[in-house]
Amino acid sequence: MKKLLITAVLPLMCLTVSAQQQHAAGENTPRRGDVTLAATVGYNSYASVQALPGLENQYEASALSTNWADKKLMVGFEGGWFFSDSWKLDWGGGLNFTNHPGYSAVPGTADAAGAGEDTTGEIPGYRAVADAYSFSYNVFAGVDRCYRLKKVPDLMLYTGVRVGFAYGLNERKYDEPESMGKSTGETWNLRAGITFGADYFLTRTFFVGIAVDPFSYTYNMTTYKPQEGLGALGADSHNYSFLAAPTLKVGFRF
């Protein structure tokens, strides 16, 4: 009798454990109201620019590269909020500020020599170090449609759209008589793209993922004012990318 009960109950216990494991696995993926926060490794989406020297008689401007393949890798972050079981809002960004203290020029004996004179043995002068600073930031936001696979319940695929904005500014001024005042360089990027990605939830709170942009577009505008009182000298560009900006993610679900 006991053997008969064990024979009958054992398969039911195995089925129950298997069902619980499958149910638990399916619960690892986020649901409505959950928040995710991930560290990312991908291309540098910041915009940076260098102001032109302020002593030239003729200036030339060129738009800065917005090609993701020209950028260096960087660590960033990405946040997400599931406003439904299948839809998620994404956001991220960062800010940077750098200050460069200025120093006065140091004249040498060669500075007093006239045009065409032999300066052999003279001490060269040191030009002033510019008093400068650089400021940049970038932000992005997007929305994703998420898909769950019954055969792989802890894997979540998604497709979505992203829009972003990046800004960079560099100003420098030399403490020297020849300087023509403050020189300014300014640039900004406006970008939009389609994103495809996959996140695998190893536990309820930890996941890894990868994403790529099947198509993206970036518009850049760069302007320079090398001397005070001059009008802006500008150049712009249009960039189209396919299968661009692969990104790795390691994150947590809250």
Side-chain angles (χ1 to χ4, degrees):
M1 186 65 178
K2 290 182 179 180
K3 291 183 179 181
L4 182 60
L5 288 174
I6 293 175
T7 303
V9 172
L10 188 58
L12 293 176
M13 293 177 62
C14 293
L15 290 174
T16 302
V17 171
S18 177
Q20 289 176 344
Q21 289 176 345
Q22 293 178 359
H23 182 66
E27 287 183 347
N28 286 345
T29 55
R31 299 292 176 178
R32 179 179 179 181
D34 287 345
V35 174
T36 59
L37 184 63
T40 62
V41 178
Y43 85 111
N44 185 343
S45 58
Y46 278 87
S48 60
V49 65
Q50 293 291 326
L52 297 176
L55 298 176
E56 305 294 334
N57 294 323
Q58 185 176 5
Y59 297 99
E60 179 183 359
S62 60
L64 301 179
S65 173
T66 55
N67 183 357
W68 70 273
D70 294 338
K71 305 288 187 175
K72 296 181 179 180
L73 290 177
M74 67 171 292
V75 176
F77 81 94
E78 177 181 295
W81 173 59
F82 285 80
F83 60 91
S84 76
D85 288 346
S86 301
W87 291 90
K88 178 181 67 169
L89 291 177
D90 293 285
W91 67 89
L95 182 146
N96 178 72
F97 178 82
T98 304
N99 181 59
H100 306 272
Y103 298 92
S104 301
V106 180
T109 58
D111 297 338
E117 293 187 17
D118 183 11
T119 57
T120 302
E122 300 287 347
I123 301 174
Y126 288 169
R127 189 184 178 189
V129 176
D131 184 10
Y133 74 90
S134 298
F135 172 73
S136 62
Y137 69 88
N138 82 90
V139 292
F140 74 86
V143 60
D144 296 332
R145 173 68 167 88
C146 304
Y147 306 90
R148 294 173 175 82
L149 304 179
K150 293 183 179 180
K151 294 184 178 180
V152 190
D154 292 332
L155 179 66
M156 187 178 68
L157 306 179
Y158 61 88
T159 58
V161 294
R162 300 282 191 279
V163 293
F165 181 81
Y167 175 81
L169 173 68
N170 177 238
E171 291 188 355
R172 59 177 66 182
K173 185 175 182 180
Y174 294 90
D175 183 12
E176 58 188 9
E178 298 84 0
S179 178
M180 302 301 291
K182 180 175 62 178
S183 178
T184 302
E186 190 174 22
T187 185
W188 55 269
N189 298 336
L190 182 63
R191 62 187 185 276
I194 301 171
T195 298
F196 173 80
D199 293 336
Y200 188 80
F201 289 80
L202 301 172
T203 67
R204 285 181 58 86
T205 58
F206 181 73
F207 71 94
V208 294
I210 187 171
V212 67
D213 294 346
F215 173 78
S216 65
Y217 165 78
T218 304
Y219 176 77
N220 169 259
M221 171 58 74
T222 304
T223 57
Y224 299 96
K225 290 185 178 181
Q227 299 177 15
E228 292 187 10
L230 294 182
L233 176 64
D236 61 349
S237 68
H238 305 267
N239 175 264
Y240 306 89
S241 298
F242 301 89
L243 298 178
T247 303
L248 299 177
K249 296 190 293 184
V250 177
F252 298 90
R253 165 193 176 185
F254 302 94

